[in-house]
Amino acid sequence: DGGITQSPKYLFRKEGQNVTLSCEQNLNHDAMYWYRQDPGQGLRLIYYSQIVNDFQKGDIAEGYSVSREKKESFPLTVTSAQKNPTAFYLCASSLDRADTQYFGPGTRLTVL
Amino acid sequence: KQEVTQIPAALSVPEGENLVLNCSFTDSAIYNLQWFRQDPGKGLTSLLLIQSSQREQTSGRLNASLDKSSGRSTLYIAASQPGDSATYLCAARSSGGYNKLIFGAGTRLAVHP
């Protein structure tokens, strides 16, 4: 059963903590992406990776970090430097940079 | 800088009605335009993708059109059903560079019996 999985579904963070959101895909896709969605707004690109061991900042990368050590995995760390991290986070992947993006089910992060 | 706008922000219709959702974009140099569906608290499901060289795409009761010159795309839903209730997002992919999608804020559709 191929697809994109994200965990956890819900995550609560205390102020000053770093948290890591997981994204895994078994679609053999080269490219992976992280988006943030706020209520009533479209998705905004945080980071993207076109190939293993390479990633680039998107439009709102400040306060976030990523790694791409394996083709299947693209974890996102929300650091304490992110001033307003409460949001819905979506991971996506595509076969290559020209292909349709497929999305995971999302992680809802809430700062307490 | 590409900006994508969707109108209306919310729409409520009775079951069976045909309806049109609108998407406009400011930069006509797009590679393609994609329509997604999002159920509450869920990820996005791709509905239709229109390449820049195409005028429209159809899938079942859905038809999406693209007019690059006017910077507009429409999603037509025929014979709406309560199961169509969701938020519909359009996203424009710019020509060149990486696979960057610029999303609109979405139209929240409610189809009532």
Side-chain angles (χ1 to χ4, degrees):
Chain A
D1 187 22
I4 304 174
T5 58
Q6 292 185 241
S7 62
K9 185 174 182 179
Y10 300 98
L11 186 58
F12 298 91
R13 189 194 96 170
K14 294 181 180 179
E15 286 198 23
Q17 280 184 335
N18 292 353
V19 291
T20 297
L21 283 60
S22 169
C23 177
E24 304 276 334
Q25 55 96 2
N26 61 5
L27 300 169
N28 200 33
H29 285 174
D30 284 319
M32 297 186 75
Y33 315 82
W34 273 106
Y35 292 90
R36 169 181 172 140
Q37 186 178 32
D38 293 283
Q41 298 188 33
L43 280 67
R44 292 181 290 168
L45 183 66
I46 305 172
Y47 267 98
Y48 67 99
S49 169
Q50 296 188 58
I51 198 168
V52 175
N53 292 322
D54 181 67
F55 50 83
Q56 304 294 330
K57 293 181 179 180
D59 297 322
I60 55 166
E62 184 175 353
Y64 300 98
S65 65
V66 293
S67 63
R68 186 82 188 278
E69 297 176 1
K70 297 187 300 182
K71 187 175 186 178
E72 305 80 23
S73 179
F74 191 40
L76 173 74
T77 297
V78 184
T79 75
S80 57
Q82 170 49 236
K83 299 304 179 187
N84 185 21
T86 295
F88 189 50
Y89 290 86
L90 288 157
C91 177
S93 70
S94 63
L95 186 60
D96 57 35
R97 66 177 190 173
D99 195 38
T100 300
Q101 292 184 23
Y102 296 88
F103 285 78
T107 292
R108 185 165 300 280
L109 172 63
T110 302
V111 174
L112 302 174
Chain B
K1 179 185 174 185
Q2 179 75 274
E3 293 182 3
V4 178
T5 304
Q6 290 188 248
I7 295 173
L11 185 62
S12 180
V13 300
E15 182 177 4
E17 193 163 299
N18 300 326
L19 56 98
V20 175
L21 307 182
N22 296 295
C23 172
S24 62
F25 47 94
T26 55
D27 185 353
S28 62
I30 62 170
Y31 185 82
N32 60 41
L33 187 135
Q34 201 163 355
W35 283 92
F36 294 88
R37 169 184 173 139
Q38 185 177 30
D39 292 294
K42 306 288 186 183
L44 276 64
T45 300
S46 179
L47 298 173
L48 291 165
L49 184 148
I50 313 176
Q51 301 292 349
S52 61
S53 59
Q54 297 175 320
R55 296 283 292 184
E56 64 180 272
Q57 280 286 330
T58 299
S59 176
R61 294 182 293 108
L62 305 179
N63 175 277
S65 67
L66 176 64
D67 184 345
K68 284 178 54 180
S69 61
S70 66
R72 293 181 183 177
S73 176
T74 61
L75 179 67
Y76 175 82
I77 302 177
S80 58
Q81 303 170 359
D84 294 330
S85 299
T87 296
Y88 291 82
L89 295 143
C90 70
R93 188 200 154 194
S94 297
S95 300
Y98 62 94
N99 191 353
K100 179 177 179 177
L101 295 177
I102 304 298
F103 283 83
T107 293
R108 190 170 66 254
L109 174 65
V111 181
H112 50 87

